[in-house]
Amino acid sequence: MPFLRFLLLLSFFCGTVQAEHRVFTRKDGFLSMRDKLNVYFFQSGTHRLLVRDEGSVRAPRYGSLDKAMRKSPCVAGVNGGFFGADAEGTPLGLVVQDGKRLSPLATGSFAVSGVVYEDGKSDLALVRSSVLKRMKKLPAMQAAIQGGPFLVENGSAVKGLNAQKSTYRTFIATDGGKRWCIGVSSSLTLKELADWLASPGALGDFRVKTALNLDGGSSSAFWCHESGISYPAFKQVRNYLGVAPRR
């Protein structure tokens, strides 16, 4: 066994691995394709979130998740929040990049029901948009993306999610502590993804307490430097959510 591989395995079993990419599968049905989740795990104490905004879908600054992540200190990333059908692809909800608010907080739609943000120090938060709306002043944010709906809350799958429309999905989740993950699924309904994420052992020893849906379908994209995987979106999207080591 090569020495580097030995060290990686040793650090894993000793519990010192701070971030890693894993793939989870399950059978969808008899003689069917396998459902799949590509997931990147990280800890908020060692990694932070970065938002990279294209500025416009008509004249994008980067052109793809892969290029945006490679031009940033990121080790993994997914596509970000929902955006409008106008020529600029105006973000639907809060977007904060490098401490600058590019788009305001929105409410009233399932697509903007939650916000994930990085405080720029050593913590991440995933909260309901309504909670932030009631505040007189938003908390300090170095990076933020608004999305929805919530898939899992308090460890249970959210009830009433769509069970008919199946498509690729993108999500971010936390165990309620310092452990987080971003991921992309194969074609699933919102209900199927929520039920899967909430199932004990679905993501190994990572127990999902809260999970938020991000833009999906043809916007779904996943990139990981560690494994060399790059799944591009099928259309130009407005922004991306990346994971980078803390300085």
mmCIF file of all heavy atoms in Angstrom, residues 48-87:
data_model
loop_
_atom_site.group_PDB
_atom_site.id
_atom_site.type_symbol
_atom_site.label_atom_id
_atom_site.label_comp_id
_atom_site.label_asym_id
_atom_site.label_seq_id
_atom_site.Cartn_x
_atom_site.Cartn_y
_atom_site.Cartn_z
ATOM 1 N N ARG A 48 -14.978 26.527 5.382
ATOM 2 C CA ARG A 48 -15.951 27.612 5.306
ATOM 3 C C ARG A 48 -16.690 27.558 3.979
ATOM 4 O O ARG A 48 -16.278 26.839 3.061
ATOM 5 C CB ARG A 48 -15.232 28.966 5.429
ATOM 6 C CG ARG A 48 -14.175 29.193 4.340
ATOM 7 C CD ARG A 48 -13.265 30.361 4.681
ATOM 8 N NE ARG A 48 -12.150 30.441 3.740
ATOM 9 C CZ ARG A 48 -12.006 31.389 2.816
ATOM 10 N NH1 ARG A 48 -12.923 32.355 2.706
ATOM 11 N NH2 ARG A 48 -10.978 31.398 2.009
ATOM 12 N N LEU A 49 -17.767 28.322 3.889
ATOM 13 C CA LEU A 49 -18.520 28.415 2.642
ATOM 14 C C LEU A 49 -18.111 29.663 1.870
ATOM 15 O O LEU A 49 -17.862 30.716 2.460
ATOM 16 C CB LEU A 49 -20.024 28.481 2.925
ATOM 17 C CG LEU A 49 -20.683 27.225 3.501
ATOM 18 C CD1 LEU A 49 -22.165 27.486 3.756
ATOM 19 C CD2 LEU A 49 -20.518 26.035 2.556
ATOM 20 N N LEU A 50 -18.044 29.524 0.563
ATOM 21 C CA LEU A 50 -17.797 30.651 -0.330
ATOM 22 C C LEU A 50 -18.909 30.699 -1.367
ATOM 23 O O LEU A 50 -19.341 29.656 -1.867
ATOM 24 C CB LEU A 50 -16.454 30.499 -1.058
ATOM 25 C CG LEU A 50 -15.164 30.734 -0.281
ATOM 26 C CD1 LEU A 50 -13.968 30.542 -1.214
ATOM 27 C CD2 LEU A 50 -15.128 32.133 0.315
ATOM 28 N N VAL A 51 -19.365 31.885 -1.682
ATOM 29 C CA VAL A 51 -20.337 32.071 -2.767
ATOM 30 C C VAL A 51 -19.610 32.712 -3.937
ATOM 31 O O VAL A 51 -18.834 33.652 -3.765
ATOM 32 C CB VAL A 51 -21.509 32.970 -2.313
ATOM 33 C CG1 VAL A 51 -22.364 33.393 -3.503
ATOM 34 C CG2 VAL A 51 -22.369 32.227 -1.302
ATOM 35 N N ARG A 52 -19.859 32.174 -5.113
ATOM 36 C CA ARG A 52 -19.313 32.765 -6.326
ATOM 37 C C ARG A 52 -20.462 33.058 -7.282
ATOM 38 O O ARG A 52 -21.162 32.160 -7.718
ATOM 39 C CB ARG A 52 -18.275 31.824 -6.972
ATOM 40 C CG ARG A 52 -16.968 31.768 -6.183
ATOM 41 C CD ARG A 52 -16.294 33.123 -6.186
ATOM 42 N NE ARG A 52 -15.102 33.208 -5.334
ATOM 43 C CZ ARG A 52 -15.071 33.793 -4.157
ATOM 44 N NH1 ARG A 52 -16.179 34.307 -3.646
ATOM 45 N NH2 ARG A 52 -13.948 33.878 -3.471
ATOM 46 N N ASP A 53 -20.639 34.348 -7.565
ATOM 47 C CA ASP A 53 -21.751 34.808 -8.396
ATOM 48 C C ASP A 53 -21.262 35.138 -9.802
ATOM 49 O O ASP A 53 -20.203 35.744 -9.978
ATOM 50 C CB ASP A 53 -22.386 36.046 -7.768
ATOM 51 C CG ASP A 53 -23.639 36.490 -8.488
ATOM 52 O OD1 ASP A 53 -24.683 35.841 -8.317
ATOM 53 O OD2 ASP A 53 -23.574 37.483 -9.244
ATOM 54 N N GLU A 54 -22.033 34.724 -10.807
ATOM 55 C CA GLU A 54 -21.652 34.948 -12.199
ATOM 56 C C GLU A 54 -21.854 36.402 -12.644
ATOM 57 O O GLU A 54 -21.304 36.829 -13.643
ATOM 58 C CB GLU A 54 -22.468 34.032 -13.125
ATOM 59 C CG GLU A 54 -22.120 32.556 -13.023
ATOM 60 C CD GLU A 54 -20.846 32.217 -13.796
ATOM 61 O OE1 GLU A 54 -20.096 33.137 -14.165
ATOM 62 O OE2 GLU A 54 -20.604 31.024 -14.010
ATOM 63 N N GLY A 55 -22.674 37.149 -11.897
ATOM 64 C CA GLY A 55 -22.966 38.525 -12.294
ATOM 65 C C GLY A 55 -24.093 38.613 -13.298
ATOM 66 O O GLY A 55 -24.892 39.540 -13.296
ATOM 67 N N SER A 56 -24.170 37.587 -14.174
ATOM 68 C CA SER A 56 -25.202 37.532 -15.206
ATOM 69 C C SER A 56 -25.140 36.163 -15.872
ATOM 70 O O SER A 56 -24.056 35.606 -16.019
ATOM 71 C CB SER A 56 -24.969 38.631 -16.258
ATOM 72 O OG SER A 56 -25.741 38.406 -17.421
ATOM 73 N N VAL A 57 -26.281 35.637 -16.258
ATOM 74 C CA VAL A 57 -26.263 34.374 -16.997
ATOM 75 C C VAL A 57 -26.038 34.629 -18.484
ATOM 76 O O VAL A 57 -25.652 33.729 -19.232
ATOM 77 C CB VAL A 57 -27.566 33.573 -16.794
ATOM 78 C CG1 VAL A 57 -27.716 33.164 -15.347
ATOM 79 C CG2 VAL A 57 -28.787 34.365 -17.255
ATOM 80 N N ARG A 58 -26.275 35.864 -18.904
ATOM 81 C CA ARG A 58 -26.070 36.231 -20.314
ATOM 82 C C ARG A 58 -24.584 36.417 -20.615
ATOM 83 O O ARG A 58 -24.103 36.014 -21.681
ATOM 84 C CB ARG A 58 -26.838 37.515 -20.638
ATOM 85 C CG ARG A 58 -26.647 38.026 -22.059
ATOM 86 C CD ARG A 58 -27.537 39.218 -22.318
ATOM 87 N NE ARG A 58 -27.357 40.268 -21.310
ATOM 88 C CZ ARG A 58 -28.068 41.384 -21.269
ATOM 89 N NH1 ARG A 58 -29.021 41.598 -22.170
ATOM 90 N NH2 ARG A 58 -27.840 42.290 -20.338
ATOM 91 N N ALA A 59 -23.865 37.024 -19.690
ATOM 92 C CA ALA A 59 -22.424 37.235 -19.849
ATOM 93 C C ALA A 59 -21.744 36.804 -18.551
ATOM 94 O O ALA A 59 -21.310 37.646 -17.758
ATOM 95 C CB ALA A 59 -22.125 38.687 -20.164
ATOM 96 N N PRO A 60 -21.660 35.494 -18.290
ATOM 97 C CA PRO A 60 -21.147 34.993 -17.010
ATOM 98 C C PRO A 60 -19.664 35.276 -16.787
ATOM 99 O O PRO A 60 -18.867 35.262 -17.719
ATOM 100 C CB PRO A 60 -21.409 33.492 -17.094
ATOM 101 C CG PRO A 60 -21.422 33.192 -18.561
ATOM 102 C CD PRO A 60 -22.053 34.394 -19.195
ATOM 103 N N ARG A 61 -19.340 35.535 -15.535
ATOM 104 C CA ARG A 61 -17.956 35.821 -15.154
ATOM 105 C C ARG A 61 -17.086 34.565 -15.246
ATOM 106 O O ARG A 61 -15.928 34.633 -15.650
ATOM 107 C CB ARG A 61 -17.931 36.371 -13.728
ATOM 108 C CG ARG A 61 -16.542 36.705 -13.209
ATOM 109 C CD ARG A 61 -16.615 37.333 -11.817
ATOM 110 N NE ARG A 61 -17.238 38.648 -11.865
ATOM 111 C CZ ARG A 61 -18.433 38.944 -11.348
ATOM 112 N NH1 ARG A 61 -19.144 37.986 -10.752
ATOM 113 N NH2 ARG A 61 -18.913 40.152 -11.414
ATOM 114 N N TYR A 62 -17.632 33.406 -14.891
ATOM 115 C CA TYR A 62 -16.877 32.158 -14.887
ATOM 116 C C TYR A 62 -17.321 31.201 -15.998
ATOM 117 O O TYR A 62 -16.500 30.626 -16.689
ATOM 118 C CB TYR A 62 -17.012 31.453 -13.535
ATOM 119 C CG TYR A 62 -16.593 32.293 -12.368
ATOM 120 C CD1 TYR A 62 -17.541 32.885 -11.528
ATOM 121 C CD2 TYR A 62 -15.248 32.505 -12.079
ATOM 122 C CE1 TYR A 62 -17.163 33.663 -10.451
ATOM 123 C CE2 TYR A 62 -14.858 33.284 -10.993
ATOM 124 C CZ TYR A 62 -15.822 33.869 -10.183
ATOM 125 O OH TYR A 62 -15.455 34.641 -9.117
ATOM 126 N N GLY A 63 -18.607 30.997 -16.108
ATOM 127 C CA GLY A 63 -19.130 30.124 -17.156
ATOM 128 C C GLY A 63 -19.503 28.729 -16.707
ATOM 129 O O GLY A 63 -20.259 28.047 -17.379
ATOM 130 N N SER A 64 -18.975 28.290 -15.552
ATOM 131 C CA SER A 64 -19.309 26.957 -15.052
ATOM 132 C C SER A 64 -18.853 26.826 -13.613
ATOM 133 O O SER A 64 -17.996 27.584 -13.131
ATOM 134 C CB SER A 64 -18.642 25.864 -15.898
ATOM 135 O OG SER A 64 -17.233 25.871 -15.706
ATOM 136 N N LEU A 65 -19.420 25.850 -12.915
ATOM 137 C CA LEU A 65 -19.023 25.562 -11.541
ATOM 138 C C LEU A 65 -17.548 25.201 -11.478
ATOM 139 O O LEU A 65 -16.807 25.685 -10.616
ATOM 140 C CB LEU A 65 -19.870 24.405 -10.995
ATOM 141 C CG LEU A 65 -19.439 23.813 -9.654
ATOM 142 C CD1 LEU A 65 -19.575 24.832 -8.535
ATOM 143 C CD2 LEU A 65 -20.258 22.556 -9.340
ATOM 144 N N ASP A 66 -17.115 24.347 -12.376
ATOM 145 C CA ASP A 66 -15.720 23.903 -12.417
ATOM 146 C C ASP A 66 -14.760 25.093 -12.472
ATOM 147 O O ASP A 66 -13.811 25.191 -11.680
ATOM 148 C CB ASP A 66 -15.524 22.989 -13.628
ATOM 149 C CG ASP A 66 -14.074 22.603 -13.823
ATOM 150 O OD1 ASP A 66 -13.630 21.616 -13.229
ATOM 151 O OD2 ASP A 66 -13.378 23.301 -14.588
ATOM 152 N N LYS A 67 -15.012 26.033 -13.381
ATOM 153 C CA LYS A 67 -14.128 27.184 -13.527
ATOM 154 C C LYS A 67 -14.196 28.106 -12.322
ATOM 155 O O LYS A 67 -13.174 28.656 -11.884
ATOM 156 C CB LYS A 67 -14.479 27.939 -14.804
ATOM 157 C CG LYS A 67 -14.169 27.166 -16.073
ATOM 158 C CD LYS A 67 -14.584 27.945 -17.318
ATOM 159 C CE LYS A 67 -14.277 27.147 -18.579
ATOM 160 N NZ LYS A 67 -14.734 27.863 -19.814
ATOM 161 N N ALA A 68 -15.401 28.286 -11.771
ATOM 162 C CA ALA A 68 -15.548 29.154 -10.608
ATOM 163 C C ALA A 68 -14.793 28.597 -9.406
ATOM 164 O O ALA A 68 -14.137 29.337 -8.664
ATOM 165 C CB ALA A 68 -17.027 29.317 -10.269
ATOM 166 N N MET A 69 -14.876 27.290 -9.208
ATOM 167 C CA MET A 69 -14.210 26.675 -8.064
ATOM 168 C C MET A 69 -12.693 26.670 -8.226
ATOM 169 O O MET A 69 -11.952 26.879 -7.266
ATOM 170 C CB MET A 69 -14.719 25.238 -7.871
ATOM 171 C CG MET A 69 -16.202 25.125 -7.510
ATOM 172 S SD MET A 69 -16.650 25.872 -5.916
ATOM 173 C CE MET A 69 -17.273 27.487 -6.444
ATOM 174 N N ARG A 70 -12.234 26.431 -9.440
ATOM 175 C CA ARG A 70 -10.787 26.385 -9.679
ATOM 176 C C ARG A 70 -10.134 27.759 -9.544
ATOM 177 O O ARG A 70 -8.937 27.861 -9.270
ATOM 178 C CB ARG A 70 -10.502 25.790 -11.062
ATOM 179 C CG ARG A 70 -10.833 24.305 -11.154
ATOM 180 C CD ARG A 70 -10.451 23.717 -12.494
ATOM 181 N NE ARG A 70 -10.847 22.330 -12.610
ATOM 182 C CZ ARG A 70 -10.174 21.301 -12.108
ATOM 183 N NH1 ARG A 70 -9.035 21.539 -11.453
ATOM 184 N NH2 ARG A 70 -10.602 20.061 -12.265
ATOM 185 N N LYS A 71 -10.917 28.817 -9.741
ATOM 186 C CA LYS A 71 -10.396 30.171 -9.581
ATOM 187 C C LYS A 71 -10.576 30.676 -8.156
ATOM 188 O O LYS A 71 -10.317 31.839 -7.863
ATOM 189 C CB LYS A 71 -11.089 31.111 -10.563
ATOM 190 C CG LYS A 71 -10.699 30.854 -12.024
ATOM 191 C CD LYS A 71 -11.359 31.852 -12.961
ATOM 192 C CE LYS A 71 -10.930 31.592 -14.405
ATOM 193 N NZ LYS A 71 -11.562 32.547 -15.350
ATOM 194 N N SER A 72 -11.035 29.794 -7.278
ATOM 195 C CA SER A 72 -11.232 30.112 -5.868
ATOM 196 C C SER A 72 -10.490 29.066 -5.039
ATOM 197 O O SER A 72 -10.121 28.012 -5.551
ATOM 198 C CB SER A 72 -12.725 30.081 -5.525
ATOM 199 O OG SER A 72 -13.474 30.908 -6.400
ATOM 200 N N PRO A 73 -10.291 29.317 -3.755
ATOM 201 C CA PRO A 73 -9.594 28.334 -2.902
ATOM 202 C C PRO A 73 -10.507 27.207 -2.441
ATOM 203 O O PRO A 73 -10.456 26.778 -1.283
ATOM 204 C CB PRO A 73 -9.119 29.196 -1.731
ATOM 205 C CG PRO A 73 -10.160 30.239 -1.610
ATOM 206 C CD PRO A 73 -10.553 30.573 -3.029
ATOM 207 N N CYS A 74 -11.363 26.719 -3.340
ATOM 208 C CA CYS A 74 -12.365 25.723 -2.960
ATOM 209 C C CYS A 74 -11.888 24.296 -3.220
ATOM 210 O O CYS A 74 -11.111 24.040 -4.136
ATOM 211 C CB CYS A 74 -13.670 25.958 -3.724
ATOM 212 S SG CYS A 74 -14.506 27.497 -3.268
ATOM 213 N N VAL A 75 -12.389 23.370 -2.414
ATOM 214 C CA VAL A 75 -12.082 21.951 -2.583
ATOM 215 C C VAL A 75 -13.302 21.174 -3.086
ATOM 216 O O VAL A 75 -13.187 20.030 -3.522
ATOM 217 C CB VAL A 75 -11.585 21.329 -1.263
ATOM 218 C CG1 VAL A 75 -10.226 21.890 -0.898
ATOM 219 C CG2 VAL A 75 -12.581 21.556 -0.135
ATOM 220 N N ALA A 76 -14.478 21.806 -3.006
ATOM 221 C CA ALA A 76 -15.705 21.188 -3.501
ATOM 222 C C ALA A 76 -16.749 22.274 -3.697
ATOM 223 O O ALA A 76 -16.619 23.381 -3.146
ATOM 224 C CB ALA A 76 -16.228 20.134 -2.526
ATOM 225 N N GLY A 77 -17.779 21.966 -4.485
ATOM 226 C CA GLY A 77 -18.817 22.967 -4.699
ATOM 227 C C GLY A 77 -20.025 22.408 -5.410
ATOM 228 O O GLY A 77 -19.972 21.336 -6.032
ATOM 229 N N VAL A 78 -21.127 23.130 -5.296
ATOM 230 C CA VAL A 78 -22.377 22.807 -5.994
ATOM 231 C C VAL A 78 -22.950 24.102 -6.549
ATOM 232 O O VAL A 78 -22.484 25.202 -6.230
ATOM 233 C CB VAL A 78 -23.412 22.156 -5.048
ATOM 234 C CG1 VAL A 78 -22.983 20.766 -4.630
ATOM 235 C CG2 VAL A 78 -23.671 23.033 -3.822
ATOM 236 N N ASN A 79 -23.975 23.965 -7.384
ATOM 237 C CA ASN A 79 -24.689 25.153 -7.830
ATOM 238 C C ASN A 79 -25.426 25.767 -6.642
ATOM 239 O O ASN A 79 -25.630 25.114 -5.622
ATOM 240 C CB ASN A 79 -25.682 24.785 -8.935
ATOM 241 C CG ASN A 79 -26.670 23.735 -8.478
ATOM 242 O OD1 ASN A 79 -26.301 22.583 -8.268
ATOM 243 N ND2 ASN A 79 -27.937 24.125 -8.296
ATOM 244 N N GLY A 80 -25.841 27.021 -6.776
ATOM 245 C CA GLY A 80 -26.427 27.728 -5.647
ATOM 246 C C GLY A 80 -27.937 27.818 -5.645
ATOM 247 O O GLY A 80 -28.641 26.825 -5.818
ATOM 248 N N GLY A 81 -28.453 29.054 -5.450
ATOM 249 C CA GLY A 81 -29.877 29.271 -5.291
ATOM 250 C C GLY A 81 -30.619 29.450 -6.602
ATOM 251 O O GLY A 81 -30.031 29.486 -7.680
ATOM 252 N N PHE A 82 -31.930 29.599 -6.489
ATOM 253 C CA PHE A 82 -32.784 29.786 -7.654
ATOM 254 C C PHE A 82 -32.580 31.184 -8.246
ATOM 255 O O PHE A 82 -32.139 32.110 -7.554
ATOM 256 C CB PHE A 82 -34.250 29.607 -7.259
ATOM 257 C CG PHE A 82 -34.598 28.199 -6.863
ATOM 258 C CD1 PHE A 82 -34.443 27.784 -5.547
ATOM 259 C CD2 PHE A 82 -35.080 27.298 -7.800
ATOM 260 C CE1 PHE A 82 -34.759 26.475 -5.163
ATOM 261 C CE2 PHE A 82 -35.395 25.989 -7.433
ATOM 262 C CZ PHE A 82 -35.233 25.586 -6.120
ATOM 263 N N PHE A 83 -32.926 31.322 -9.518
ATOM 264 C CA PHE A 83 -32.774 32.618 -10.188
ATOM 265 C C PHE A 83 -33.869 32.779 -11.236
ATOM 266 O O PHE A 83 -34.488 31.811 -11.684
ATOM 267 C CB PHE A 83 -31.391 32.744 -10.828
ATOM 268 C CG PHE A 83 -31.036 31.633 -11.776
ATOM 269 C CD1 PHE A 83 -31.222 31.769 -13.142
ATOM 270 C CD2 PHE A 83 -30.503 30.434 -11.294
ATOM 271 C CE1 PHE A 83 -30.891 30.737 -14.022
ATOM 272 C CE2 PHE A 83 -30.170 29.394 -12.162
ATOM 273 C CZ PHE A 83 -30.362 29.554 -13.525
ATOM 274 N N GLY A 84 -34.106 34.033 -11.634
ATOM 275 C CA GLY A 84 -35.191 34.347 -12.549
ATOM 276 C C GLY A 84 -34.899 33.973 -13.993
ATOM 277 O O GLY A 84 -33.765 33.653 -14.364
ATOM 278 N N ALA A 85 -35.949 34.048 -14.812
ATOM 279 C CA ALA A 85 -35.831 33.701 -16.225
ATOM 280 C C ALA A 85 -35.426 34.892 -17.086
ATOM 281 O O ALA A 85 -35.354 34.777 -18.313
ATOM 282 C CB ALA A 85 -37.155 33.132 -16.725
ATOM 283 N N ASP A 86 -35.146 36.044 -16.476
ATOM 284 C CA ASP A 86 -34.727 37.223 -17.229
ATOM 285 C C ASP A 86 -33.313 37.030 -17.757
ATOM 286 O O ASP A 86 -32.614 36.083 -17.387
ATOM 287 C CB ASP A 86 -34.802 38.469 -16.343
ATOM 288 C CG ASP A 86 -33.951 38.345 -15.100
ATOM 289 O OD1 ASP A 86 -34.291 37.513 -14.215
ATOM 290 O OD2 ASP A 86 -32.933 39.035 -15.008
ATOM 291 N N ALA A 87 -32.886 37.921 -18.617
ATOM 292 C CA ALA A 87 -31.586 37.790 -19.281
ATOM 293 C C ALA A 87 -30.410 37.771 -18.306
ATOM 294 O O ALA A 87 -29.387 37.138 -18.572
ATOM 295 C CB ALA A 87 -31.401 38.927 -20.285
#
